Amino acid sequence: MKTWKLNVIVVALLLPILSAVVLAQTQAGMNKAACDEYTKTDAELNTIYRQVLRERQADAGFTRKMRAAQRAWIAFRDAHLAALYPAADTRREYGSVYPTCRCAALAETTRKRTEELRRWTKAAAEGDVCAGSTRAGADDNASSGMPEYERADSIFRKRWTLTQMGERSLRSDEPYLEFNIKQGRFSGSTGCNRISGGYRVDGSSLRITPVAVTRRACPGGDAGQIEASFLKALETTTRFQIQNDIVRLYATDSPILIFKAEAKASVAEASDVTETASVTGTVTYRQRVALTPGAVVEVKLLDVSRADAPSVTIAEQVIKPAGRQVPIEFELRYDPRRIEQNRRYAVRARILEGVKLRFTSTQVYPVITGGNPNAVEVIVSPVR
């Protein structure tokens, strides 16, 4: 009899403890399940977000604003959670269920944001006048005069032949441009010299960065005039328009350059465009004098390995500051296959006014190999 009573007493004492243990195990499982669900929801959000940026990568204005919107949403998400559970000691105030509640709230907010982002991955309903940037489809873009960003990859990887410059029609297939979306670079020809440079797209606006030009002399006829006009037009371009296989570049209300698409570049050509590297930096001087409007800055990447032989030019950029003053930025793009690690490379620069040499670098600025950087400040000195 005494043994039975003792067992009852022991069970009565242990029951609250056992219940607490079971409850703790159950709550821990609930916490884990809720937070695992939030982790999956967050991963889905990131997948959709990256998809939107990838599909609209040609539109720098959109991607910049979308990133800003996403940062603002993250701030809202965190502020919303803090307002929902404002206590400083959440465990004490809301108990062991707080992790479940927290993860459930985060998952709900994240799912709503994911659905918002999905709008940019689907075509807007026909006739939706408030679709804004979620509108998709070539017809909408063509009718609005805006670039077809959904087709940007295929459009910009074509070769664009210059067919008209101002009021003048061109029949030669020599002047052309090719754009590389991933690198934000373009290359091409003026008809007698190779050109390259960078570009920035923001909505329908287009800015061409300083153009690098080779120094080959143009043949007789009007090739030199065409080159000069072509380069000037590129530098003054402010916006563009794509319709079918025609690209129009504008500086005012009328197109200054019109291009027609050719067949897609060959695999070899595409490889030549993408397999590049660069040396960047600035050219400056210490004297307190201004560059004249006609000044030209020449920057070269040279192989200076052999002291008993002339330097070999690997890359060259000719910059027309057009009123800009030092420091002048440069970017020398080169083929990495031409670089050998046991050789020495350096950057040299000079500034000319017409045919007269005004400034030149007087020391060696080593780059690329031997632990040297790919960015350098070149200081030029006046020529006496």
Side-chain angles (χ1 to χ4, degrees):
M1 186 68 176
K2 291 182 179 180
T3 302
W4 178 81
K5 289 183 178 180
L6 180 61
N7 289 339
V8 171
I9 293 172
V10 170
V11 170
L13 292 173
L14 290 178
L15 186 59
I17 299 174
L18 292 173
S19 299
V21 171
V22 172
L23 180 61
Q25 291 176 341
T26 303
Q27 187 59 57
M30 292 174 62
N31 291 345
K32 183 178 185 304
C35 291
D36 285 348
E37 178 63 24
Y38 166 60
T39 299
K40 292 179 182 178
T41 305
D42 187 58
E44 182 182 11
L45 168 68
N46 289 324
T47 298
I48 298 299
Y49 175 64
R50 286 192 293 267
Q51 178 185 346
V52 171
L53 293 181
R54 184 173 62 253
E55 292 178 352
R56 304 297 183 92
Q57 63 180 328
D59 187 347
F62 170 82
T63 55
R64 183 179 67 253
K65 292 173 183 177
M66 175 56 76
R67 289 190 176 98
Q70 190 66 7
R71 288 193 295 268
W73 175 81
I74 291 172
F76 161 78
R77 178 199 65 190
D78 296 343
H80 174 71
L81 185 68
L84 191 60
Y85 301 105
D89 189 343
T90 53
R91 174 72 66 174
R92 180 177 180 179
E93 181 69 21
Y94 309 115
S96 61
V97 75
Y98 171 70
T100 294
C101 299
R102 174 183 178 276
C103 288
L106 287 171
E108 180 183 8
T109 306
T110 302
R111 275 192 289 268
K112 291 179 180 178
R113 177 58 178 166
T114 301
E115 288 307 308
E116 291 175 351
L117 290 175
R118 287 188 191 279
R119 295 180 60 195
W120 280 276
T121 66
K122 304 173 184 178
E126 185 175 354
D128 185 355
V129 296
C130 297
S133 63
T134 64
R135 181 181 290 113
D139 292 339
D140 288 333
N141 289 318
S143 63
S144 66
M146 296 295 289
E148 297 176 59
Y149 294 115
E150 289 74 20
R151 296 178 53 205
D153 281 349
S154 61
I155 286 175
F156 281 99
R157 284 174 182 165
K158 293 180 180 179
R159 171 177 289 197
W160 296 93
T161 300
L162 183 64
T163 60
Q164 186 171 331
M165 187 160 51
E167 299 296 327
R168 179 177 180 176
S169 297
L170 301 176
R171 296 182 179 180
S172 171
D173 61 353
E174 289 297 326
Y176 72 90
L177 293 178
E178 289 178 316
F179 291 86
N180 185 301
I181 289 180
K182 290 184 178 179
Q183 296 182 352
R185 303 282 305 174
F186 74 88
S187 60
S189 172
T190 65
C192 61
N193 276 292
R194 294 282 299 172
I195 59 175
S196 63
Y199 68 91
R200 297 186 183 92
V201 173
D202 187 353
S204 62
S205 69
L206 172 66
R207 293 289 182 180
I208 302 293
T209 60
V211 181
V213 188
T214 58
R215 301 290 288 175
R216 176 186 172 189
C218 294
D222 58 357
Q225 181 181 354
I226 291 175
E227 176 179 85
S229 299
F230 184 32
L231 293 174
K232 183 177 180 180
L234 287 176
E235 292 174 355
T236 58
T237 295
T238 59
R239 63 186 179 91
F240 73 113
Q241 181 187 68
I242 300 174
Q243 189 171 12
N244 298 323
D245 281 339
I246 301 296
V247 169
R248 295 177 175 87
L249 304 188
Y250 294 82
T252 57
D253 293 336
S254 300
I256 54 175
L257 296 173
I258 299 178
F259 298 84
K260 182 175 177 60
E262 290 186 6
K264 187 176 180 180
S266 66
V267 174
E269 289 175 328
S271 176
D272 289 341
V273 172
T274 57
E275 292 296 327
T276 59
S278 64
V279 171
T280 60
T282 57
V283 176
T284 189
Y285 50 74
R286 305 301 188 196
Q287 289 68 28
R288 294 186 176 182
V289 294
L291 290 174
T292 62
V296 174
V297 181
E298 293 182 355
V299 190
K300 291 184 178 182
L301 172 62
L302 303 170
D303 182 339
V304 294
S305 303
R306 296 184 59 182
D308 59 344
S311 302
V312 177
T313 300
I314 303 297
E316 179 180 5
Q317 184 177 13
V318 178
I319 305 167
K320 296 179 180 179
R324 290 180 294 127
Q325 300 299 318
V326 295
I328 302 296
E329 295 182 353
F330 67 85
E331 181 178 18
L332 296 166
R333 300 195 69 82
Y334 62 89
D335 185 347
R337 292 171 295 186
R338 297 187 63 184
I339 302 300
E340 299 179 28
Q341 292 303 313
N342 61 344
R343 302 185 72 85
R344 295 183 296 112
Y345 302 90
V347 173
R348 291 179 185 168
R350 62 179 189 167
I351 300 176
L352 301 95
E353 293 179 1
V355 296
K356 190 170 184 178
L357 181 62
R358 290 296 190 184
F359 294 86
T360 187
S361 53
T362 57
Q363 69 180 77
V364 176
Y365 293 90
V367 291
I368 304 176
T369 58
N372 291 302
N374 275 47
V376 64
E377 179 188 47
V378 179
I379 300 175
V380 293
S381 301
V383 176
R384 304 297 181 185

